[in-house]
Amino acid sequence: YIIIYVDALGQIAFLIVFDDFDIGRNHGCGLSNVDELMCWGDDTWGQCQAPNGIFSHVAVGGLHSMAIGAPTTGACCTGNAV
């Protein structure tokens, strides 16, 4: 998956290659091609506060983001009570 951001002048500002991504109600997260977790969008509940680390899968819901790390670690960014 490739995300291309084009500025107001129609110029490519940056390009990100994602191996995996998911989109929620008002935010999204993706794993870059170097397994870095990146999140964007509404961060009202902390759902875009991506931790550092190496991850292999990402899943996004309405107010939360989850990622599976390597080999068996996980991370959750959420405003929901867990």
Side-chain angles (χ1 to χ4, degrees):
Y1 309 101
I2 299 174
I3 304 284
I4 301 172
Y5 174 75
V6 179
D7 66 18
L9 299 175
Q11 303 295 314
I12 294 176
F14 61 85
L15 174 109
I16 302 171
V17 177
F18 288 110
D19 290 335
D20 187 22
F21 73 93
D22 199 13
I23 304 295
R25 184 181 328 152
N26 295 314
H27 77 291
C29 292
L31 294 175
S32 72
N33 58 339
V34 293
D35 298 328
E36 178 184 6
L37 181 61
M38 303 171 75
C39 296
W40 59 89
D42 181 9
D43 192 33
T44 301
W45 301 101
Q47 65 269 38
C48 291
Q49 300 297 314
N52 294 326
I54 296 175
F55 298 94
S56 60
H57 185 70
V58 64
V60 172
L63 299 175
H64 64 277
S65 305
M66 302 283 293
I68 297 173
T72 58
T73 60
C76 182
C77 312
T78 182
N80 298 343
V82 177

